[in-house]
Amino acid sequence: LATAGSVAAEKKIVFLAGPPSHGPGQHEHRAGCLLLSSCLASVPNVTSVVYSNGWPADASALNDAAAIVIYSDGGGGHPFLQGDRLKTIGALMDKGVGLAAIHYAVEPTKEKGQAEWLNWIGGAFEIDWSVNPHWLADFNQLPKHPITKGVQPFKIRDEWYFNMRFRDGMNGVTSILSAVPDASTTSRKDGPH
């Protein structure tokens, strides 16, 4: 917070857009990151930058980030699971850098990354446990929380994940959007998702 006569320090948000993986208009990682970045353009003391293909050419671009937002596919091809990137992100988390994962970016593998996700963001999509159908979610109640300020209850059909793997006892996890999936979510083939 700024005090009288001082200026708040500028915060840099780094968006990491995963490589293209779906058809036009479906999970456009770069377009989504550019849109979110443009929404921040008028926010005082905030700058943002978007890197494409999941990772900046020079990882030192992350060093002065206040927060990192990743929007990508997950699984074994997750940008954070390549090389020693988990170590790089872990060092940033240890420094207090924020982290947000959008869409399949919440899906590491059980063998590599899941323990870090549980530590860093409190939960992860787990293959053969979590489910990702499209369904009409009815968020008829929202908790009082800074992120829900001005948001009214709503219904929307989207790809809502459920049965996520969270920290034991939801320790340190604040549930914001919670709904019960309808029966249509079980009328599909069984599989890893």
Side-chain angles (χ1 to χ4, degrees):
L1 295 173
T3 58
S6 71
V7 176
E10 193 163 275
K11 302 290 184 184
K12 177 180 163 186
I13 300 174
V14 175
F15 288 89
L16 301 176
S21 62
H22 290 70
Q26 298 179 18
H27 308 315
E28 292 197 28
H29 306 131
R30 180 172 164 69
C33 287
L34 288 169
L35 176 63
L36 291 171
S37 179
S38 72
C39 291
L40 295 171
S42 63
V43 176
N45 304 314
V46 172
T47 61
S48 63
V49 60
V50 176
Y51 292 97
S52 299
N53 297 313
W55 198 256
D58 180 356
S60 68
L62 303 173
N63 291 347
D64 59 348
I68 297 168
V69 178
I70 181 149
Y71 179 19
S72 70
D73 285 342
H78 194 293
F80 284 8
L81 302 185
Q82 310 311 307
D84 63 353
R85 293 176 183 173
L86 277 178
K87 188 175 179 182
T88 300
I89 295 297
L92 293 168
M93 298 301 98
D94 290 344
K95 288 177 21 182
V97 173
L99 178 63
I102 300 173
H103 189 53
Y104 270 136
V106 299
E107 182 193 312
T109 66
K110 230 176 146 177
E111 301 74 26
K112 186 174 182 182
Q114 183 168 304
E116 288 83 355
W117 264 244
L118 294 177
N119 183 39
W120 297 339
I121 62 173
F125 186 100
E126 183 179 304
I127 297 295
D128 295 316
W129 173 261
S130 303
V131 189
N132 73 331
H134 285 79
W135 54 289
L136 179 65
D138 183 2
F139 301 107
N140 55 29
Q141 261 183 259
L142 300 174
K144 186 174 179 167
H145 188 276
I147 202 167
T148 62
K149 186 175 181 179
V151 179
Q152 299 300 314
F154 62 97
K155 288 182 186 182
I156 190 166
R157 181 173 178 76
D158 205 339
E159 185 177 10
W160 296 106
Y161 302 171
F162 63 90
N163 207 39
M164 300 288 284
R165 179 68 68 194
F166 291 106
R167 289 181 188 151
D168 289 339
M170 297 284 284
N171 183 29
V173 175
T174 301
S175 180
I176 301 295
L177 293 179
S178 183
V180 177
D182 59 56
S184 73
T185 63
T186 63
S187 63
R188 55 190 235 169
K189 293 180 185 175
D190 194 12
H193 292 97

